[in-house]
Amino acid sequence: LIGFLTGCGNTKTLTCTQATEEGAEAKMTFKFKNEEIVSGEQMIKMIIPEESNFSLEEIKELLDESVESFKNVEGIEIDVHDNGENEASATVSYDYDKLTDEAKASLGLREATSYEDIKAEFEELEFVCE
């Protein structure tokens, strides 16, 4: 009965973020059940500074190209959009159990699947994880 009331396992979320001086932000959110990854979302947002030579359409095209390899992959959903002014983002959401080994490797998740391993891996890449 206790397992049923608590969702039959321990669940938690890890969020890792990173920002650059160039106006790019990355946010990775991972959901775990019993310490193993079950799903996640990786988002990259780019804010175009006023003095930039890039247009919003060019930035959106770059983001679209960066997620091209994930299109039509089972277990992955992609959203690339902009705010119509100076900000564009690309979001890749996935169900870990539906991914192929190749897709897992592309997301950087083939070897590291536990909460602590993913946290350590992204902190090594200079993300701030909570």
Side-chain angles (χ1 to χ4, degrees):
L1 180 60
I2 292 173
F4 176 75
L5 294 174
T6 61
C8 298
N10 183 21
T11 61
K12 59 176 147 177
T13 300
L14 174 66
T15 302
C16 299
T17 58
Q18 183 181 63
T20 68
E21 293 177 13
E22 294 81 25
E25 297 176 21
K27 179 178 179 182
M28 313 299 181
T29 305
F30 306 96
K31 298 198 184 270
F32 299 86
K33 185 170 184 176
N34 297 325
E35 296 297 322
E36 290 296 317
I37 190 168
V38 293
S39 66
E41 181 176 283
Q42 299 184 6
M43 187 271 301
I44 297 172
K45 177 170 63 174
M46 298 185 76
I47 301 170
I48 305 167
E50 288 182 26
E51 64 277 358
S52 175
N53 294 327
F54 290 100
S55 70
L56 182 60
E57 191 58 37
E58 289 172 317
I59 296 297
K60 191 174 174 185
E61 285 176 24
L62 286 171
L63 288 172
D64 199 37
E65 289 172 12
S66 73
V67 297
E68 182 68 33
S69 65
F70 299 114
K71 290 182 178 176
N72 302 314
V73 175
E74 184 178 357
I76 293 181
E77 292 182 26
I78 298 171
D79 179 33
V80 178
H81 66 275
D82 63 77
N83 69 354
E85 295 176 18
N86 68 338
E87 184 179 299
S89 65
T91 304
V92 177
S93 304
Y94 53 89
D95 178 338
Y96 189 80
D97 291 334
K98 292 181 180 178
L99 298 177
T100 64
D101 286 343
E102 183 179 330
K104 290 173 184 176
S106 296
L107 290 166
L109 300 171
R110 190 169 188 175
E111 300 300 322
T113 61
S114 73
Y115 181 94
E116 290 303 323
D117 287 347
I118 290 175
K119 182 178 181 192
E121 189 169 303
F122 277 88
E123 286 178 339
E124 188 174 305
L125 294 171
E126 299 184 10
F127 279 77
V128 175
C129 297
E130 299 176 24

